[in-house]
Amino acid sequence: MKRINFIVFCLLFCITLVSCTPAKNNNSNDIPPINNDVTPPLKEENNIISDKLNSDEQRQFVVDYIRAMADVEWTPEKTFLLYGKYQAWSYNLTYEKGKTYYGLPFLVDSRGTKQEFLNSIVDGVYVGPTSNADCIGDACYDAVYVTLIQVCPSITFKSTEDMLPKNETGLAAVGDWDWSVSKHDTPTIMNRNTLETMSKAYAQLNLGDVVLKHVVAQDAGHTRIISKKPVVVYKSNGEIDPDKSYVTTLEQTNVWDKTATRRTTWYVDHTYTFSKLYESFFVPLTPVDYTKDNGDPYISSVDLLKPEDTAKAKRLQGELSSNNYIMEVGVEIKNKSGEIIYSEKWFPSSKTVWLEDLNYSPKLYNYSDGTYNFTLYASLATGTKTITSYDFELKF
């Protein structure tokens, strides 16, 4: 989970579903900050995790990932409540013990990834934290953010407020419409662009693209990921019919989906006409990484913990860096028989990870002297690399 700065809000007119982030962040202070400005060291061939994905593969990965987030089946270990009230919206959701839910919980001030949430599920039961301060979940833009960063390393937006192209946070306009009039307010943009212009742009949306609204007057917005190619219907005069043409999306919301047969706040494959998108101030965007060559995904490391220091180390050492977001870091310590005596996972969602900041507490003094194995690994969305693995002697 990451620290968040803003609330986001769904539809301006009569639509109750919203997914938001507050203007000020007041919790989740136990996670190292995202560092997107550090230039990773030069990669070596043995640091490469996988071949780079082409544009179609990236798009499909994005859709599959957010769909998987929405499809996670779980039941709470205990009943808990998530709630919040903001300028233009609120949420009040009770997750009851014994009931089955689908998708990560809705939660402001959280950037829970699928990997992190699954790590807190044991035999179908969610055993992770449940308070507003530290539950693993997502608001609408958080869900879009954690989905896109899996394979789009240029994504850096903080909320719906800074997702527009003028902010240069990893998203570009789809189609030919004037986005230059505002960095933050989509109603201002719509006042500059006609329904016909925007319909032509909506028609060019593709899998894994995004539709976004942000209303400065309410400091709120909403965002969705395109899950299927648009259906475009034309009039007899050759113009797009905006009332019959539509997009299909995946999105996290702050309300239960009453049209679904399962208990979920995720709207899976809901459709919106071009007219509704326009009236609700949604603009079409695409990650720049779909057409950008970032090279083969890799993870490099420096200054790692040495074998001779492992037995008495109270924290890890060194730094990991990548040209993609590092989604998971893990440690395993095994005894001579291969039994795991200590394991830990962390979910940094960062391009640079300072290992000493991770909560590492193996308490090796509880174990008998002998030979043990230490393994450190790290994962991008596209693969896992063993950073280091070695035997060390435990003798106190």
Side-chain angles (χ1 to χ4, degrees), residues 16 96 187 253 279 314 316 325:
T16 58
E96 298 181 43
T253 80
E279 293 166 2
K314 295 183 179 180
L316 299 173
Y325 283 87

Side-chain angles (χ1 to χ4, degrees), residues 36-37 66 69 109 124 173 178 181 260 275 327 376:
N36 297 311
D37 300 323
I66 194 169
M69 288 181 71
D109 264 0
D178 185 0
V181 293
S275 293
M327 305 311 302
L376 170 72

Side-chain angles (χ1 to χ4, degrees), residues 113-127:
T113 64
K114 179 188 69 175
Q115 297 93 321
E116 183 180 13
F117 191 71
L118 289 175
N119 188 60
S120 293
I121 292 181
V122 178
D123 296 329
V125 176
Y126 174 69
V127 296

Side-chain angles (χ1 to χ4, degrees), residues 275-289:
S275 293
K276 178 58 69 174
L277 291 176
Y278 183 77
E279 293 166 2
S280 303
F281 312 124
F282 279 88
V283 298
L285 304 171
T286 188
V288 299
D289 292 297

Side-chain angles (χ1 to χ4, degrees), residues 141-173:
Y141 101 90
D142 303 302
V144 171
Y145 174 86
V146 300
T147 295
L148 294 181
I149 65 170
Q150 303 296 317
V151 291
C152 298
S154 297
I155 294 296
T156 59
F157 57 81
K158 303 294 184 183
S159 74
T160 55
E161 184 182 42
D162 64 344
M163 290 175 68
L164 285 168
K166 284 191 73 173
N167 296 284
E168 299 182 351
T169 53
L171 294 169

